[in-house]
C-alpha cells in the first residue's frame, strides 16, 4: 500500500515510528507537510498537490494535525476523503475533537460518563453556573487550552468567581467542572485503534499537582483497565467518529469519566510506558480497513 502521513515534522517520534512501522510491513510511506499542500477544488475531479507533484495514488492517509493548524489541516484531510483515500481519522472527527465543549456534548448524548460540567457565556450568571456543578472546589478550564495550561483548581467559591471573571474579562471561553478529587492527580490515557483499546497508561501528577500532564512533571506507567473503563474509552472514540484516539479518563466515585478525546495522540509516552507497538497496530488497522471511498461521514457522500 501507499500511505501518506500528514505531519509538519518528519523527525517527530510519532511520525518516525509510523513511517518505520509501515515500511517494516512492506508499505511505501511518505511524510507530507500538510501546510505545503495545495488543492484544486473542481467538480468531480478534486486534486491535491505537494511540491509540484499530484498526490493521486495513495491508499490511506494518517493525519497528525497540530492543534493550532486544525483549519488548514482538516481541509487537506477532507481533500483526501473527496479523492476516495481512506483516512485513519476523518476531517469531521478531528474538528469535533478540537472543541472541548462540542466533544463533551457529543459524549453526553451517548450517555458516556463525564464530570458534571457547566458552560456559560456571561459572567452575570456565575452563581447559577457554580450551582450546576455543585459548588467549590471546582475546576475551571479554558476551552482553547492544551497540556494542562488554562486548567485551574478553585478551592473556594470566591476563588472560582474571581477566576471566572478574569477569564471572561479576557473574552476567553471557559467551562466549569466538578473536581474529581478521588482521582488523586492521576488520569488514564486509553489508546483506541478501531474498536479496541490497544494500550493504556496511567499518568500521575507531580506531588501536590492535581494535573497529571507529563508536560507538567507527571510520570507515566502501564495500567490495567477495568471492562467498564475499556468500554467507556471505545464508546467515546466511536461517539466522536474517530478510529484512532487517545481517550483520557479519570477514576471517579461514579465510575470512569472522560476528560478529553484526542485525535492525534502522541506515540512516544504510550509506547515507552507500555512497550506496545502502537504504530504497528495503526498500520495493521489500515491494512484491514482501507478501501477506496470508504468514509463514514454522511456529508461526504
Ligand atoms: P489539557 O487538555 O490542557 O491537558 P485537561 O482537561 O486534560 O486539559 O486537564 C489536565 C489535567 O488536569 C487532567 O489530565 C487531569 O489530571 C486534571 N483534571 C482536569 N479536569 C479535572 C477534574 N474535573 N477533576 C480532577 N482533575 C482534573
Amino acid at each position: 500500500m501507499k500511505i501518506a502521513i500528514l505531519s509538519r515534522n518528519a523527525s517527530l517520534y510519532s511520525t518516525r515510528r509510523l513511517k518505520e512501522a509501515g515500511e517494516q510491513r512492506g508499505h511505501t510511506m511518505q511524510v507530507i507537510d500538510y501546510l505545503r499542500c495545495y488543492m484544486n477544488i473542481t467538480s468531480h475531479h478534486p486534486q491535491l498537490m505537494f511540491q509540484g507533484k499530484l498526490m493521486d495514488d495513495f491508499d490511506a492517509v494518517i493525519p497528525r494535525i497540530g492543534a493550532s493548524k486544525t483549519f488548514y489541516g482538516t481541509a487537506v484531510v477532507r481533500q483526501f476523503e473527496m479523492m476516495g483515500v481512506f483516512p485513519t481519522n476523518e476531517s469531521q472527527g478531528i474538528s469535533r475533537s478540537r472543541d472541548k465543549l462540542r466533544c463533551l456534548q457529543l459524549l453526553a448524548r451517548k450517555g458516556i460518563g463525564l464530570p458534571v460540567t457547566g458552560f456559560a457565556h456571561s459572567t452575570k450568571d456565575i452563581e447559577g453556573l457554580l450551582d450546576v456543578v455543585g459548588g467549590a472546589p471546582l475546576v475551571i478550564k479554558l476551552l482553547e487550552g492544551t497540556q494542562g495550561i488554562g486548567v485551574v483548581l478553585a478551592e473556594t467559591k470566591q476563588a472560582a468567581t474571581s477566576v471566572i471573571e478574569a477569564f471572561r474579562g479576557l473574552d476567553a471561553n471557559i467551562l466549569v467542572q466538578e473536581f474529581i478529587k478521588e482521582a488523586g492527580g492521576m488520569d488514564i490515557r486509553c489508546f483506541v485503534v478501531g474498536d479496541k483499546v490497544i494500550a493504556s497508561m496511567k499518568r500521575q501528577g507531580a506531588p501536590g499537582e492535581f494535573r497529571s500532564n507529563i508536560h507538567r512533571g507527571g510520570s507515566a506507567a502501564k495500567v490495567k483497565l477495568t471492562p467498564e473503563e475499556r468500554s467507556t474509552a471505545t464508546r467515546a472514540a466511536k461517539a466522536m467518529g474517530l478510529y484512532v484516539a487517545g481517550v483520557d479518563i479519570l477514576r471517579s466515585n461514579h465510575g470512569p469519566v472522560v476528560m478529553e478525546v484526542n485525535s492525534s495522540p502522541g506515540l512516544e509516552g504510550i509506547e515507552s510506558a507500555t512497550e506496545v507497538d502502537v504504530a504497528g497496530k495503526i498500520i495493521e488497522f489500515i491494512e484491514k480497513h482501507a478501501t477506496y471511498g470508504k468514509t463514514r461521514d454522511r456529508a461526504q457522500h
Side-chain angles (χ1 to χ4, degrees), residues 100 139 141 145-149 151 177-180 187 210-213 250 259-260:
K100 283 189 192 191
V139 174
K141 295 186 189 182
T146 56
Q147 300 178 351
I149 296 163
V151 179
Q177 215 161 51
E178 146 198 31
F179 175 46
I180 312 289
D187 81 347
F210 82 101
R211 296 168 298 178
S212 56
N213 303 70
L250 295 180
M259 298 270 85
E260 195 166 31

mmCIF file of all heavy atoms in Angstrom, residues 100 139 141 145-149 151 177-180 187 210-213 250 259-260, ligand 1:
data_model
loop_
_atom_site.group_PDB
_atom_site.id
_atom_site.type_symbol
_atom_site.label_atom_id
_atom_site.label_comp_id
_atom_site.label_asym_id
_atom_site.label_seq_id
_atom_site.Cartn_x
_atom_site.Cartn_y
_atom_site.Cartn_z
ATOM 1 N N LYS A 100 -13.432 21.332 23.009
ATOM 2 C CA LYS A 100 -13.722 20.574 24.237
ATOM 3 C C LYS A 100 -15.214 20.516 24.552
ATOM 4 O O LYS A 100 -15.728 19.502 25.010
ATOM 5 C CB LYS A 100 -12.999 21.196 25.432
ATOM 6 C CG LYS A 100 -11.532 20.872 25.488
ATOM 7 C CD LYS A 100 -10.897 21.312 26.796
ATOM 8 C CE LYS A 100 -9.390 21.206 26.637
ATOM 9 N NZ LYS A 100 -8.635 21.352 27.854
ATOM 10 N N VAL A 139 -13.142 22.838 39.014
ATOM 11 C CA VAL A 139 -12.069 23.048 38.042
ATOM 12 C C VAL A 139 -12.591 23.968 36.942
ATOM 13 O O VAL A 139 -13.721 23.802 36.476
ATOM 14 C CB VAL A 139 -11.611 21.689 37.453
ATOM 15 C CG1 VAL A 139 -10.608 21.889 36.328
ATOM 16 C CG2 VAL A 139 -11.017 20.811 38.536
ATOM 17 N N LYS A 141 -11.710 25.540 33.168
ATOM 18 C CA LYS A 141 -10.827 25.265 32.016
ATOM 19 C C LYS A 141 -11.058 26.225 30.883
ATOM 20 O O LYS A 141 -12.201 26.487 30.500
ATOM 21 C CB LYS A 141 -11.117 23.866 31.448
ATOM 22 C CG LYS A 141 -10.808 22.762 32.370
ATOM 23 C CD LYS A 141 -10.989 21.421 31.680
ATOM 24 C CE LYS A 141 -10.873 20.344 32.737
ATOM 25 N NZ LYS A 141 -10.976 18.999 32.173
ATOM 26 N N GLY A 145 -7.291 25.652 25.807
ATOM 27 C CA GLY A 145 -6.035 25.219 26.438
ATOM 28 C C GLY A 145 -5.596 23.816 26.037
ATOM 29 O O GLY A 145 -6.414 22.977 25.681
ATOM 30 N N THR A 146 -4.271 23.565 26.068
ATOM 31 C CA THR A 146 -3.756 22.200 25.943
ATOM 32 C C THR A 146 -2.626 22.027 26.936
ATOM 33 O O THR A 146 -2.099 23.010 27.465
ATOM 34 C CB THR A 146 -3.179 21.874 24.541
ATOM 35 O OG1 THR A 146 -2.182 22.820 24.235
ATOM 36 C CG2 THR A 146 -4.228 21.811 23.470
ATOM 37 N N GLN A 147 -2.263 20.773 27.165
ATOM 38 C CA GLN A 147 -1.162 20.398 28.055
ATOM 39 C C GLN A 147 -1.339 20.965 29.463
ATOM 40 O O GLN A 147 -0.380 21.302 30.149
ATOM 41 C CB GLN A 147 0.177 20.842 27.467
ATOM 42 C CG GLN A 147 0.419 20.186 26.126
ATOM 43 C CD GLN A 147 1.705 20.608 25.469
ATOM 44 O OE1 GLN A 147 2.373 21.524 25.932
ATOM 45 N NE2 GLN A 147 2.067 19.920 24.410
ATOM 46 N N GLY A 148 -2.586 21.065 29.889
ATOM 47 C CA GLY A 148 -2.855 21.467 31.263
ATOM 48 C C GLY A 148 -2.789 22.961 31.504
ATOM 49 O O GLY A 148 -3.119 23.433 32.588
ATOM 50 N N ILE A 149 -2.392 23.721 30.470
ATOM 51 C CA ILE A 149 -2.336 25.180 30.643
ATOM 52 C C ILE A 149 -3.780 25.684 30.560
ATOM 53 O O ILE A 149 -4.540 25.273 29.702
ATOM 54 C CB ILE A 149 -1.467 25.831 29.538
ATOM 55 C CG1 ILE A 149 -0.040 25.325 29.686
ATOM 56 C CG2 ILE A 149 -1.529 27.353 29.599
ATOM 57 C CD1 ILE A 149 0.829 25.522 28.480
ATOM 58 N N VAL A 151 -5.955 25.182 33.005
ATOM 59 C CA VAL A 151 -6.804 24.324 33.842
ATOM 60 C C VAL A 151 -6.519 24.715 35.293
ATOM 61 O O VAL A 151 -5.392 24.586 35.764
ATOM 62 C CB VAL A 151 -6.497 22.824 33.621
ATOM 63 C CG1 VAL A 151 -7.373 21.953 34.503
ATOM 64 C CG2 VAL A 151 -6.696 22.452 32.151
ATOM 65 N N GLN A 177 -16.123 22.663 35.910
ATOM 66 C CA GLN A 177 -16.302 21.226 36.070
ATOM 67 C C GLN A 177 -16.193 20.800 37.532
ATOM 68 O O GLN A 177 -15.387 21.359 38.278
ATOM 69 C CB GLN A 177 -15.194 20.536 35.287
ATOM 70 C CG GLN A 177 -15.581 19.252 34.646
ATOM 71 C CD GLN A 177 -14.597 18.871 33.538
ATOM 72 O OE1 GLN A 177 -13.404 18.851 33.753
ATOM 73 N NE2 GLN A 177 -15.119 18.567 32.374
ATOM 74 N N GLU A 178 -16.963 19.829 37.892
ATOM 75 C CA GLU A 178 -16.849 19.183 39.196
ATOM 76 C C GLU A 178 -15.391 18.733 39.369
ATOM 77 O O GLU A 178 -14.788 18.220 38.411
ATOM 78 C CB GLU A 178 -17.815 17.996 39.167
ATOM 79 C CG GLU A 178 -17.417 16.789 39.899
ATOM 80 C CD GLU A 178 -18.185 15.527 39.477
ATOM 81 O OE1 GLU A 178 -18.596 15.378 38.298
ATOM 82 O OE2 GLU A 178 -18.333 14.668 40.342
ATOM 83 N N PHE A 179 -14.801 18.916 40.554
ATOM 84 C CA PHE A 179 -13.423 18.479 40.793
ATOM 85 C C PHE A 179 -13.450 17.018 41.236
ATOM 86 O O PHE A 179 -14.057 16.668 42.249
ATOM 87 C CB PHE A 179 -12.790 19.356 41.882
ATOM 88 C CG PHE A 179 -11.400 18.915 42.279
ATOM 89 C CD1 PHE A 179 -10.438 18.602 41.325
ATOM 90 C CD2 PHE A 179 -11.055 18.828 43.627
ATOM 91 C CE1 PHE A 179 -9.155 18.196 41.699
ATOM 92 C CE2 PHE A 179 -9.765 18.431 44.014
ATOM 93 C CZ PHE A 179 -8.818 18.109 43.043
ATOM 94 N N ILE A 180 -12.790 16.162 40.466
ATOM 95 C CA ILE A 180 -12.743 14.732 40.811
ATOM 96 C C ILE A 180 -11.537 14.539 41.739
ATOM 97 O O ILE A 180 -10.462 14.146 41.291
ATOM 98 C CB ILE A 180 -12.628 13.847 39.541
ATOM 99 C CG1 ILE A 180 -13.651 14.247 38.459
ATOM 100 C CG2 ILE A 180 -12.747 12.361 39.887
ATOM 101 C CD1 ILE A 180 -15.088 13.907 38.752
ATOM 102 N N ASP A 187 -4.591 10.418 35.870
ATOM 103 C CA ASP A 187 -5.559 10.134 34.807
ATOM 104 C C ASP A 187 -5.054 8.962 33.981
ATOM 105 O O ASP A 187 -3.914 8.493 34.162
ATOM 106 C CB ASP A 187 -5.883 11.372 33.960
ATOM 107 C CG ASP A 187 -4.851 11.682 32.887
ATOM 108 O OD1 ASP A 187 -3.742 11.102 32.928
ATOM 109 O OD2 ASP A 187 -5.143 12.503 32.007
ATOM 110 N N PHE A 210 -2.614 18.623 40.868
ATOM 111 C CA PHE A 210 -3.803 17.832 40.516
ATOM 112 C C PHE A 210 -3.838 17.501 39.039
ATOM 113 O O PHE A 210 -4.581 16.635 38.602
ATOM 114 C CB PHE A 210 -5.091 18.557 40.945
ATOM 115 C CG PHE A 210 -5.550 19.616 39.982
ATOM 116 C CD1 PHE A 210 -6.594 19.356 39.093
ATOM 117 C CD2 PHE A 210 -4.944 20.866 39.958
ATOM 118 C CE1 PHE A 210 -7.019 20.326 38.200
ATOM 119 C CE2 PHE A 210 -5.363 21.836 39.059
ATOM 120 C CZ PHE A 210 -6.394 21.573 38.185
ATOM 121 N N ARG A 211 -2.995 18.174 38.246
ATOM 122 C CA ARG A 211 -2.958 17.896 36.803
ATOM 123 C C ARG A 211 -1.893 16.838 36.517
ATOM 124 O O ARG A 211 -0.759 16.972 36.960
ATOM 125 C CB ARG A 211 -2.638 19.176 36.017
ATOM 126 C CG ARG A 211 -3.712 20.234 36.155
ATOM 127 C CD ARG A 211 -3.251 21.566 35.615
ATOM 128 N NE ARG A 211 -2.107 22.062 36.367
ATOM 129 C CZ ARG A 211 -1.475 23.205 36.081
ATOM 130 N NH1 ARG A 211 -1.869 23.937 35.069
ATOM 131 N NH2 ARG A 211 -0.454 23.597 36.798
ATOM 132 N N SER A 212 -2.280 15.830 35.757
ATOM 133 C CA SER A 212 -1.371 14.704 35.552
ATOM 134 C C SER A 212 -0.505 14.845 34.307
ATOM 135 O O SER A 212 0.263 13.943 33.990
ATOM 136 C CB SER A 212 -2.208 13.431 35.445
ATOM 137 O OG SER A 212 -3.142 13.608 34.417
ATOM 138 N N ASN A 213 -0.629 15.959 33.584
ATOM 139 C CA ASN A 213 0.113 16.128 32.325
ATOM 140 C C ASN A 213 1.616 15.893 32.500
ATOM 141 O O ASN A 213 2.229 16.443 33.409
ATOM 142 C CB ASN A 213 -0.081 17.540 31.766
ATOM 143 C CG ASN A 213 -1.535 17.872 31.554
ATOM 144 O OD1 ASN A 213 -2.259 18.035 32.519
ATOM 145 N ND2 ASN A 213 -1.959 17.953 30.316
ATOM 146 N N LEU A 250 -10.717 9.776 34.021
ATOM 147 C CA LEU A 250 -10.389 9.841 35.450
ATOM 148 C C LEU A 250 -11.195 8.768 36.157
ATOM 149 O O LEU A 250 -12.325 8.464 35.747
ATOM 150 C CB LEU A 250 -10.783 11.204 36.033
ATOM 151 C CG LEU A 250 -10.075 12.470 35.541
ATOM 152 C CD1 LEU A 250 -10.638 13.689 36.252
ATOM 153 C CD2 LEU A 250 -8.571 12.374 35.764
ATOM 154 N N MET A 259 -12.365 12.944 30.184
ATOM 155 C CA MET A 259 -11.896 14.327 30.207
ATOM 156 C C MET A 259 -11.852 14.880 28.819
ATOM 157 O O MET A 259 -12.194 15.996 28.551
ATOM 158 C CB MET A 259 -10.414 14.381 30.648
ATOM 159 C CG MET A 259 -10.036 13.920 31.964
ATOM 160 S SD MET A 259 -10.147 15.339 33.014
ATOM 161 C CE MET A 259 -11.837 15.202 33.342
ATOM 162 N N GLU A 260 -11.309 14.072 27.938
ATOM 163 C CA GLU A 260 -10.946 14.587 26.632
ATOM 164 C C GLU A 260 -10.718 13.437 25.646
ATOM 165 O O GLU A 260 -10.299 12.353 26.052
ATOM 166 C CB GLU A 260 -9.617 15.318 26.804
ATOM 167 C CG GLU A 260 -9.271 16.188 25.665
ATOM 168 C CD GLU A 260 -8.139 17.152 25.981
ATOM 169 O OE1 GLU A 260 -7.275 16.816 26.789
ATOM 170 O OE2 GLU A 260 -8.151 18.224 25.377
HETATM 171 P P1 LIG B 1 -5.471 19.622 28.783
HETATM 172 O O1 LIG B 1 -6.228 19.286 27.561
HETATM 173 O O2 LIG B 1 -4.930 21.013 28.784
HETATM 174 O O3 LIG B 1 -4.471 18.563 29.169
HETATM 175 P P2 LIG B 1 -7.339 18.522 30.675
HETATM 176 O O4 LIG B 1 -8.765 18.875 30.670
HETATM 177 O O5 LIG B 1 -6.955 17.176 30.142
HETATM 178 O O6 LIG B 1 -6.532 19.680 29.955
HETATM 179 O O7 LIG B 1 -6.780 18.659 32.165
HETATM 180 C C1 LIG B 1 -5.434 18.471 32.520
HETATM 181 C C2 LIG B 1 -5.330 17.546 33.718
HETATM 182 O O8 LIG B 1 -5.942 18.128 34.876
HETATM 183 C C3 LIG B 1 -6.045 16.217 33.517
HETATM 184 O O9 LIG B 1 -5.234 15.273 32.853
HETATM 185 C C4 LIG B 1 -6.377 15.801 34.941
HETATM 186 O O10 LIG B 1 -5.272 15.158 35.553
HETATM 187 C C5 LIG B 1 -6.620 17.131 35.639
HETATM 188 N N1 LIG B 1 -8.060 17.445 35.641
HETATM 189 C C6 LIG B 1 -8.760 18.043 34.640
HETATM 190 N N2 LIG B 1 -10.058 18.166 34.947
HETATM 191 C C7 LIG B 1 -10.215 17.639 36.181
HETATM 192 C C8 LIG B 1 -11.346 17.479 37.055
HETATM 193 N N3 LIG B 1 -12.560 17.891 36.703
HETATM 194 N N4 LIG B 1 -11.124 16.876 38.254
HETATM 195 C C9 LIG B 1 -9.890 16.456 38.596
HETATM 196 N N5 LIG B 1 -8.795 16.592 37.840
HETATM 197 C C10 LIG B 1 -8.933 17.175 36.637
#
